[in-house]
Amino acid sequence: MSETKIISLNSKELADISQVGGKGYSLIKLSSLNLNVPPGIVLTVGFFEDWIKKIKNSDLYKEFILQLSQNNNECQIILNKIKDWSLNNLVLSSSDKQDIEDNLKKLFPDDYNKILYAVRSSSPEEDLAGASFAGNYETYLGTQFDLLEEFILKSFISCIDYRVFKYKLEKGFTASDIKIAIVIMKQVNCDVSGVGFSINPLNNDYDEAVITSNFGLGESVVGGIITPDEYIVNKISKKVITEKLGSKDKIVKLNEDNGTSILEQNSENQKKSSLSKEQIIQIVDKIIVIENSYNVPIDIEFGIENDILYILQARPITTYNKLPEEFLTKPNEQRQLYFDVTVGVQGFEEPMTTFGSDVFKLVIHTLAKLIPGIENIDNLKESAFDGIGGKLLLNLSNVMTKFEIETITNYTSNINSLINETLLNHGNEYKNKTECKALKINKLYIIRKVPIIRIIFAKYFAKSSKSNFENQMSRFITESEEYIQKNIDSNVPIFTIFEHLFNNLVTYFRSYTIPVLAYGIFFGYMKLKILFEPYLKDNSELRQDFNNLIKCFPFVTILMGLDTYKLSTYLDKNQYKNKTQDEFYQDYLDKKFPKEFYNEFETFMKKYGFRGEGEIDIVNKRYSENPKTIINQVFSALLEYDESNNPQKDFDDTNTNRPEIFRKLYKFASKKGFASEFEKAYFFTVNFFQYRESHKYYIVFVIGSVRKLILKRAEVLLQRNLIDGIDDIFKLKIKSLDHILENVDVITKEKVGNKIQEDNKCREIVTTWKRQPIMFDSRGRIFSHERKEASKKNQLIGDSVSYGKVRGKAKVLKTVNEKVFNPGEILVTKATDPGWTPLIINCGGIILEVGGMLQHGALVSREFNKPCVVGIENITDIIKDGEEIEVDAIEGIITLLDREE
């Protein structure tokens, strides 16, 4: 047999992973770094060629391949049969046995047949970035030399295990391929052993190492037999941040003859730390060396025998959030704290497109330049904001140098509660030491450009400000439509078109929108909250009255929901009681609805056709392109409501009853001494709070309208085969697309592909994230809500944003059209945008992962009397589709009724 079929772990040359497998490759590499790796050998993939041939020539394997091609569920049974057949039919040849003995004799000349060995499988696909295969392959500890063949075979057949087969399918490997190498290494009789991580797996912090350990062999730790000791260490300062002793009630020890046993741990060891401070730092030092060599975060397995530290394994960590260079700071630099608007406000499950975030970057740049006079707001490190990699990130470390933490939290409490929690707990450590000069507000510019007088003398200018806003914004729509139409086939760059429209829009905002927003939000709604907040918590009647006072205003998204309901009133409910959603949509397409419906639907599309789910990202289709979303909600509204019970009636009744509620609350305010302030705040709320979402409406109007122009211009790229699909253009930045269109006659598909790869590089990294955090820092650390404790196991605690109580079946959705939504179901999702409004009016209640009183879902739920609880992390994973739940939005409690208390 060729000597290369057996390779020593202390080989000077790094073997090919396809031959020695992930574990073998790692151990050889660790040994080359002069780390203390137990001596041993690797039986390469080539060593097992004969066994693999015999299996593949067997009738059982042929049956397995047939079942696999038919996607048959019987694969597990046949794989178990192949394993049994292998145990009875596969043996090592005499030359194989002799080669193993000769190689071990070289390493251990005096006692190769007396010492114990660890037999460990090593798959060519194992321990690769993206696929750890952890726990799927078998390891056998404490193996005597005479029993090596038996345990080599047992380790070998673990590559035929159903767990491995399923994991391969999920990770995109060829499931039918049989490949395995086996590591045989000297068994370390560990006094202490465990696992170390070069990154904190709980919060993704790059600069924290985490070690878990127990006395004895590491199987008690990696196998989850006990609760181990846990140490978190700062890799830069080498300080132990936390030390938590586990129960450690069991210990795994080597048997004298063969194998291992699980024994009771003595009480003394249970109470004391398994590692000394010196050992902890020694392990961290080795973790750093290995991480630097691998150039990615890693985890290791280690053992300590007679105070000698052995590294038993190292592999890349496959489940962490890798930060693009644009987000990162160096280990010793001041960390920057980021808030992700796409997750924390919009609730996006995935990042925006590169093009979409580039558009929003231009929006923010224009707003900052033309309102506070900030020239360069769109630089993540140097200023406050940037649109990178599909993320819209706010750098709070820089913002805190210009505004007090308390000032920021007073405003952000209504946007997302995690901002407040994080800033109050950690704000001072993240505040940059020097003032952010790029955020210098030009006060003289604001005085000259913003109608300050109208804001100061709000009551005097209220009427004219309202009419100015409505007239001028209507004018903006008309002018913009004409401008876009004129430039559909022109040579004016898309960037210039966006720039022109956003400059105009922000100029209109500055003059006409800012006054009405100031009146409605700051002088109205927020003032009302400040006045009544101290009295609401312990007074349920007052809370209900206050909630009724501030709901059902004619926000544009509310009007869209009511207009959706109005469409349903043109149809006969009895005609569609027994029809499906798809049948209903087909009737719409076949023009089977009354003529009045189609007339009203045309009006609806003129007002809202540029909107849609995920509307702030230009890649997403609009209602005008895909009306099915709206038609589906018309169907739900038709089945859910009648003349005596419908959202329009609730809306009208609330507005009719509002003056009576005001009079009742006025009496309360008089007793508390703030009646005059209340009356003034009420006036501004009733007349101006309805414009709260207007700025977003017009931004989305521009995005949706220019999308049509872009799609028309980009048709030539498809015609000339320069892109594979129309959505490829949204992987580019705006100016890159302009450059390609300007050079369409000479540019090649390869160059277009290279530009897409360059522009989309950052987003490609971000889309690998296993979780999309709301708050994180420039060293990867993810911030989460402090978990609120419920009194029962089947309860979850969140924040009530629309009061009431309801029971029903949960419908867990990631997108509005993911599955059929039945009237009265409880909507469970991350967050909503205006594209969800028609669905919300048909739901029984709402549970959202993203918190905040003024986010879209919270606002719409109040308008339509839907109990709503927000701010429960991972809620879409916790609640299962169809399970019976109760939403108590009075106390903020979600009860999972089908589960144990």
Side-chain angles (χ1 to χ4, degrees), residues 517 520-521 525 549-563 607-608 611 651 655 658 684-695 697 834 837 853-856 858-864:
L517 287 180
I521 296 174
Y525 173 79
L549 183 78
I550 60 170
K551 74 179 185 182
C552 288
F553 292 108
F555 300 111
V556 66
T557 50
I558 301 305
L559 296 178
M560 183 172 74
L562 294 174
D563 285 345
K607 286 196 280 187
Y608 312 114
R611 308 202 75 165
F651 182 84
N655 280 281
R658 200 188 314 276
F684 285 119
T685 303
V686 167
N687 286 284
F688 296 100
F689 191 47
Q690 68 192 67
Y691 300 121
R692 190 195 77 88
E693 289 189 318
S694 58
H695 56 294
Y697 176 85
T837 302
M853 283 289 290
L854 289 184
Q855 61 145 305
H856 173 267
L859 185 112
V860 178
S861 65
R862 287 194 294 274
E863 304 309 310
F864 291 112

Side-chain angles (χ1 to χ4, degrees), residues 216-271:
L217 300 180
E219 295 306 292
S220 67
V221 178
V222 298
I225 296 169
I226 48 90
T227 301
D229 294 338
E230 180 184 278
Y231 313 91
I232 301 177
V233 183
N234 185 296
K235 285 155 57 180
I236 300 166
S237 67
K238 302 293 174 65
K239 289 182 179 177
V240 178
I241 301 168
T242 62
E243 177 180 323
K244 188 164 64 177
L245 299 187
S247 58
K248 306 191 300 294
D249 55 327
K250 299 283 192 300
I251 184 171
V252 177
K253 297 292 286 182
L254 289 173
N255 296 330
E256 287 187 13
D257 50 358
N258 194 74
T260 61
S261 295
I262 302 173
L263 307 172
E264 295 295 321
Q265 181 101 260
N266 66 59
S267 58
E268 183 183 348
N269 279 356
Q270 287 183 42
K271 294 174 185 176

